[in-house]
Amino acid sequence: MTERTVADVIVERLTTWGVNRVFGYSGDGINGFMGALRRTGDRPEGQVEFVQARHEEAAAFMAVGHAKYTGGVGVVTSTQGPGAVHLLNGLYDAKLDGVPVVAIVGQQSRTVLGSGYMQEIDLTALFKDVASQFVQLVSTAEQVPMVLDRAFRTAKATASPCVVIIPHDVQSAPAPGLEQQHGIVVTAPSWSAAAKSPRDEDLAAAAALLNSAERVALLVGQGARHAAQEVVAVAEKLGAGIATSLLGKPYVDENLPFAVGTMGHLGTTASAHLLGNCDALLIVGSNDPWTEFYPPPGAARAVQIDIDEKKIGNRYPVEVGLAGDAASALDALNQRLEHRPRTQWRTDVEREVSRWRILAADRAAVPASPVNPERVVRELNGRLPGNAQVSVDVGSCVYWYARQLVLPAGVPAHLSGTLASMGCSIPYGLAAKLARPDRPLVALAGDGAMQMAGIAELVTVAHRWRQWQDPRFVVCVFNNRELTEVTWEQRESEAEPRFAASQELPDFPFAAYADLLGLKGIRVEDPELVGEAWDQAFAADCPVVIEVLTDPEIPLLPPFPAGREKAESMREGLAAEDDGGRASTLLDTYVAHEERPGS
């Protein structure tokens, strides 16, 4: 029988913390940990599953996705050296979007540290910024339980990534007996969230400000994930409109007549109207960085609710801050608010929402070559199962998700929101599917993101899908042979023409590749067949890759009034392109629709 080692202690501690899945890629620096994970199958407490990704970056994204979809702590592991370096992108995704992740990273044996040994890098320095809340190199076996406990408590308390570095020889050492003595710290694997409620005087000041306003807007972020009813109740009482950040989109029912959709560069015209004309702003659990789309400073008085008091006033000059949980803070605030009868402001907001819905339909119907990407997402409305999970990659597909997809209530949708890293959708989707194998998964991704990371992780999908209760894992690839968002950003921000060597992508047969993997591939070149493709995918008994040949010249136009200025920069860039005529025509069409929806 194998002697119980420190690596076994690690796995036991993970189990006690409720971890049932570890994402990663093996290597000699974590051989001891891998052996302990293998041995969990013999333990009565049950097995901790190891999920092998194709790359450590994808494994880190999976851990982030696990945290986002389950609300728990994502755990990822890697070997030292290059494996550790590869984790950084996913860990920064966790840091910037505020989710708890613990990384267990191997290191060379203590006897060679400092010698410039093979794959030896200063891991504490490497992770110093991304794991600024907690990063620790374990030097002795006795440290391990205490360091793991601190990592998990810190990750949960600060909603951030934490890193534990464990040299190979420590992992393989005999499990320590921890007795009370000087220099030994014995801890427990437990944590309780602090009950945080706003102060009465702050609630009174916030209520007075909002009661005195005439045109109230709510900006709702991911911090309101458990406060959907409370958000609507406050909006109803104040006659307010509700805008969401990109990360807050899944937590507000966009079928509400006063829900204006996503704000910002990729947002809606209705959100631009709401935030551009309000005289009071209530920010709920949002740290959205698109500050140019907030009300001009001084135009609106502001109240902000956030569980993290450091974020209050971070994006806008706030008069009153309410530090606390969104649901309880909103409930306490609502008791102090005065109900107001229907006002012209609410009527104006609802008119702008109706106007936006017409505009969204207009945009999706614009003829394209060959398929308008907005139509691809719009056709998903009414077809997306009510128990689905959604993952979204970074690129132009985020615009179409934000503007065209109306999520059924309770459908989670996640993406790399603040880091905005390409390549996240398939790892996120895998984490979601592994956590809830009984629910269908839809991933939206551009061809650039798929070529960066998604193609490789489709191998993981092909490897695992037969274990899922519901086999539906539907990947929609917007194949336009272009880094479209970069192209339009270059035109918009720099008034520069498209640079083919930079933006043009090699064509790749995504549907045929799916067939090669034993999945189902569907290639769509006719816009009239988009809806049928979605129907086939949801009726399939295996994962499906829908490859849609989309038009890269559909403009990524910000909502007016900012869009007017941006459109002129785009035109200047397009004028320098030899083949910019069709893109200019489409841009003119979009501008005309924005000025006169239904035209």
Side-chain angles (χ1 to χ4, degrees):
M1 181 176 179
T2 303
E3 181 182 15
R4 186 166 169 267
T5 67
V6 169
D8 293 302
V9 174
I10 297 171
V11 174
E12 290 163 10
R13 215 62 171 188
L14 294 179
T15 303
T16 308
W17 276 105
V19 175
N20 59 8
R21 189 168 292 116
V22 173
F23 304 94
Y25 201 86
S26 58
D28 62 344
I30 49 173
N31 279 346
F33 185 37
M34 292 295 104
L37 286 172
R38 177 188 61 79
R39 291 192 291 274
T40 61
D42 302 327
R43 295 166 59 243
E45 300 94 325
Q47 186 170 7
V48 177
E49 179 186 15
F50 178 69
V51 179
Q52 184 197 72
R54 312 275 63 78
H55 192 280
E56 290 93 351
E57 179 179 328
F61 276 134
M62 290 177 191
V64 178
H66 178 89
K68 288 184 173 183
Y69 286 97
T70 68
V73 179
V75 178
V76 64
T77 189
S78 81
T79 190
Q80 71 271 329
V85 173
H86 291 160
L87 293 179
L88 283 175
N89 203 45
L91 295 182
Y92 271 109
D93 186 34
K95 179 178 182 176
L96 271 62
D97 276 358
V99 294
V101 169
V102 171
I104 298 172
V105 183
Q107 178 58 297
Q108 292 290 6
S109 295
R110 292 168 295 175
T111 54
V112 301
L113 294 181
S115 70
Y117 207 73
M118 180 180 178
Q119 292 190 334
E120 182 197 350
I121 59 177
D122 187 344
L123 295 181
T124 304
L126 178 75
F127 292 115
K128 179 180 178 180
D129 179 62
V130 71
S132 56
Q133 297 293 335
F134 188 85
V135 55
Q136 182 62 53
L137 172 67
V138 173
S139 299
T140 70
E142 288 78 8
Q143 276 181 278
V144 168
M146 175 269 293
V147 171
L148 284 171
D149 288 347
R150 289 199 65 203
F152 274 88
R153 278 198 294 269
T154 305
K156 291 168 75 70
T158 62
S160 69
C162 296
V163 175
V164 177
I165 304 161
I166 309 182
H168 182 270
D169 59 324
V170 174
Q171 296 171 44
S172 302
L178 297 180
E179 298 180 359
Q180 186 179 22
Q181 58 180 291
H182 181 72
I184 298 294
V185 178
V186 181
T187 58
S190 62
W191 174 80
S192 296
K196 187 180 290 188
S197 299
R199 301 181 303 177
D200 286 344
E201 55 265 41
D202 293 334
L203 287 165
L209 187 158
L210 294 169
N211 284 331
S212 67
E214 296 181 357
R215 304 182 304 280
V216 181
L218 272 66
L219 173 57
V220 176
Q222 64 172 339
R225 63 176 63 86
H226 302 303
Q229 293 181 346
E230 290 81 0
V231 164
V232 173
V234 167
E236 290 277 25
K237 188 172 262 189
L238 292 172
I242 306 173
T244 72
S245 69
L246 181 61
L247 295 178
K249 175 180 169 73
Y251 307 115
V252 171
D253 181 1
E254 291 182 336
N255 288 302
L256 294 169
F258 49 89
V260 301
T262 306
M263 67 89 75
H265 189 283
L266 43 62
T268 71
T269 57
S271 73
H273 175 87
L274 178 75
L275 296 177
N277 293 279
C278 64
D279 65 358
L281 176 65
L282 174 57
I283 304 170
V284 184
S286 175
N287 192 38
D288 195 288
W290 289 106
T291 52
E292 66 268 40
F293 291 91
Y294 285 67
R301 304 175 68 193
V303 176
Q304 184 171 357
I305 298 171
D306 207 289
I307 194 72
D308 183 356
E309 57 267 30
K310 296 192 300 297
K311 292 180 180 176
I312 293 176
N314 197 38
R315 303 299 188 195
Y316 194 77
V318 169
E319 285 189 39
V320 183
L322 302 178
D325 169 73
S328 59
L330 286 169
D331 185 58
L333 177 62
N334 195 20
Q335 295 176 34
R336 298 171 182 260
L337 296 175
E338 299 169 1
H339 180 76
R340 62 187 65 181
R342 185 179 182 87
T343 64
Q344 184 61 44
W345 172 243
R346 171 58 73 84
T347 300
D348 290 346
V349 168
E350 293 185 1
R351 183 191 66 241
E352 291 299 322
V353 170
S354 297
R355 181 178 178 274
W356 162 251
R357 290 173 179 171
I358 294 170
L359 176 58
D362 287 347
R363 287 178 169 180
V366 170
S369 179
V371 180
N372 185 330
E374 300 214 40
R375 178 170 180 174
V376 177
V377 178
R378 190 171 184 84
E379 292 276 7
L380 184 53
N381 290 323
R383 291 183 166 94
L384 184 66
N387 67 335
Q389 302 181 96
V390 176
S391 65
V392 185
D393 224 297
V394 169
S396 57
C397 65
V398 179
Y399 287 74
W400 319 139
Y401 157 73
R403 294 173 175 174
Q404 293 288 358
L405 185 59
V406 179
L407 293 166
V411 169
H414 293 290
L415 70 159
S416 176
T418 313
L419 183 63
S421 177
M422 292 169 62
C424 63
S425 62
I426 307 303
Y428 270 27
L430 278 160
K433 193 68 175 180
L434 290 167
R436 294 299 306 269
D438 59 327
R439 298 174 65 168
L441 185 287
V442 174
L444 305 176
D447 49 353
M450 288 298 293
Q451 290 184 23
M452 182 177 286
I455 291 171
E457 292 307 327
L458 283 178
V459 175
T460 311
V461 174
H463 173 61
R464 288 187 166 269
W465 73 267
R466 291 175 180 82
Q467 305 167 17
W468 299 334
Q469 185 176 340
D470 185 325
R472 290 176 294 177
F473 191 107
V474 181
V475 181
C476 180
V477 183
F478 299 79
N479 185 5
N480 55 23
R481 291 77 62 200
E482 179 93 2
L483 291 174
T484 310
E485 185 173 17
V486 178
T487 296
W488 281 101
E489 284 174 341
Q490 199 159 16
R491 291 163 176 161
E492 173 192 329
S493 301
E494 311 299 330
E496 282 278 346
R498 174 180 180 270
F499 179 33
S502 167
Q503 277 91 260
E504 188 174 289
L505 291 174
D507 200 6
F508 184 87
F510 295 99
Y513 181 68
D515 290 334
L516 183 66
L517 291 175
L519 312 178
K520 180 179 177 63
I522 302 173
R523 183 179 167 97
V524 179
E525 302 180 44
D526 182 346
E528 298 303 318
L529 299 179
V530 170
E532 180 182 328
W534 283 119
D535 291 337
Q536 288 182 39
F538 290 125
D541 58 0
C542 68
V544 174
V545 173
I546 304 174
E547 176 189 4
V548 187
L549 272 61
T550 55
D551 192 340
E553 304 296 8
I554 295 294
L556 307 184
L557 186 67
F560 282 13
R564 291 189 182 92
E565 178 183 345
K566 302 298 185 182
E568 290 309 310
S569 296
M570 291 175 178
R571 287 191 179 99
E572 188 175 340
L574 287 166
E577 296 181 20
D578 294 337
D579 56 349
R582 196 171 62 83
S584 296
T585 300
L586 285 169
L587 179 60
D588 290 341
T589 300
Y590 265 54
V591 170
H593 282 166
E594 184 133 358
E595 293 174 338
R596 300 181 303 278
S599 62

